[in-house]
Amino acid sequence: MLDFIKGWSRRAALPPGSLVHVGRRRVQTPSATVTYYNGQGRRVVENAGPGDVAPAADEVCWLRVRGLHDLELIRGLGQRLNLHPMLLEDVVEATQRPKVEEFADYLFVVLRLLRFDQQTAVISEEQLSLVLGRGWVATFEESDDTPLDLVAQRIAQRRGRIAEMGADYLAYAIIDVMIDSNFGVLEAFGESLDAIEDQVLANPSEASAKALYHFKGQIIHLRRVLWPLREVVNFIARGDSGFFSQPVWPFLRDVADHALHVLDAADAIREQATGLMELHLGALGNRTNEVMKVLTIMASIFIPLTFIAGVYGMNFEYMPELRLHYGYPAVLAAMAAVAAGLIIYFRHKKWL
């Protein structure tokens, strides 16, 4: 959070289009890789610079940039591809919501990569920026461990139709694998929520209430990230953009369907969490009613006895305990034993 604040404060007085990295540094040294491929073969240029980016008509050019804090590298690559300064500003400000913008020569898409830590039950996110041009695709990733490695493996192993298709199909494949990666996050999140549900059903407690409130906050975060995805996929699936050819349109409609499934799953998880909150409150209410029932029974038994003792007192002539030498401490010990026994009983019943 501190890096986020510092990043925005540094760019506050700068003119539009100024490059200031906002976000975490997730890689030690940013790097660029350029992959050229077509139906005949593939070649890869590691540690590429702007001069290594040369899209051609007879092959697809895929530029992958991993790490966003090398501003000179990104500026040089952007100039090589003639990218608008405002687009590059959005690339390095890694706090953008999912969106799609169409320029004259390319299409700009921003997606969010979700990760879920089951140990801390915290959802984190990264930004992926994709630019689709005529015969080329550029992706800007915050880290070097993203689902785009799966797309690179498909190209290297020539699996499926990706090696035979154009840059628009590559862009589809990247968007598809990014959206599908959300299913794993939602599945892990749902499993953790199921564990909380078992805990609530077995023994609702303060710990389970805190866990539910924590999950509620994570679900709000999840919904904030995923909800704008609907606009992105709807724009792409309509086929209004001229950057996707007609053979790719059925695949775009399929990826839109996947995105709707992701949103439905997120809504189902939100409803499950809401139901668990209500279940937890109901269980606590039932537990309170059980406690009150037992205490009411105990009070109903002892109130008449206390009334009789209050009216008549304990001043009878024949009370053997009055002449016992240790009668007073014995009564105090009995009172303490009764109190301790009740405390142990209440703790055993988990009322305390």
Side-chain angles (χ1 to χ4, degrees), residues 158-175:
R158 307 185 65 79
R159 287 189 287 112
R161 55 174 58 87
I162 190 168
E164 307 292 335
M165 302 289 283
D168 54 349
Y169 187 88
L170 172 61
Y172 147 74
I174 293 172
I175 295 172

Side-chain angles (χ1 to χ4, degrees), residues 190-205 208 212 272 276 279-280 283:
E191 290 175 354
S192 298
L193 198 59
D194 289 340
I196 299 298
E197 181 177 7
D198 295 338
Q199 182 180 349
V200 170
L201 292 174
N203 179 29
S205 62
S208 59
L212 281 174
Q272 181 184 4
L276 279 179
L279 176 63
H280 185 271

Side-chain angles (χ1 to χ4, degrees), residues 3 23 93 104 164 173 210 216 241 264 266 271 276 282 305 340 343:
D3 293 338
E93 291 176 4
E164 307 292 335
K210 289 182 178 179
K216 193 73 172 177
S241 173
D264 289 342
E271 292 175 2
L276 279 179
L305 302 180
I343 291 175

Side-chain angles (χ1 to χ4, degrees), residues 186 189-190 193 212 215-216 218-224 227 262-278:
L186 293 174
F189 192 90
L193 198 59
L212 281 174
F215 272 90
K216 193 73 172 177
Q218 293 300 302
I219 290 173
I220 293 174
H221 180 195
L222 185 69
R223 185 176 177 82
R224 180 184 62 82
W227 188 253
V262 168
L263 294 173
D264 289 342
D267 286 340
I269 289 177
R270 181 173 61 89
E271 292 175 2
Q272 181 184 4
T274 302
L276 279 179
M277 293 290 295
E278 296 174 355

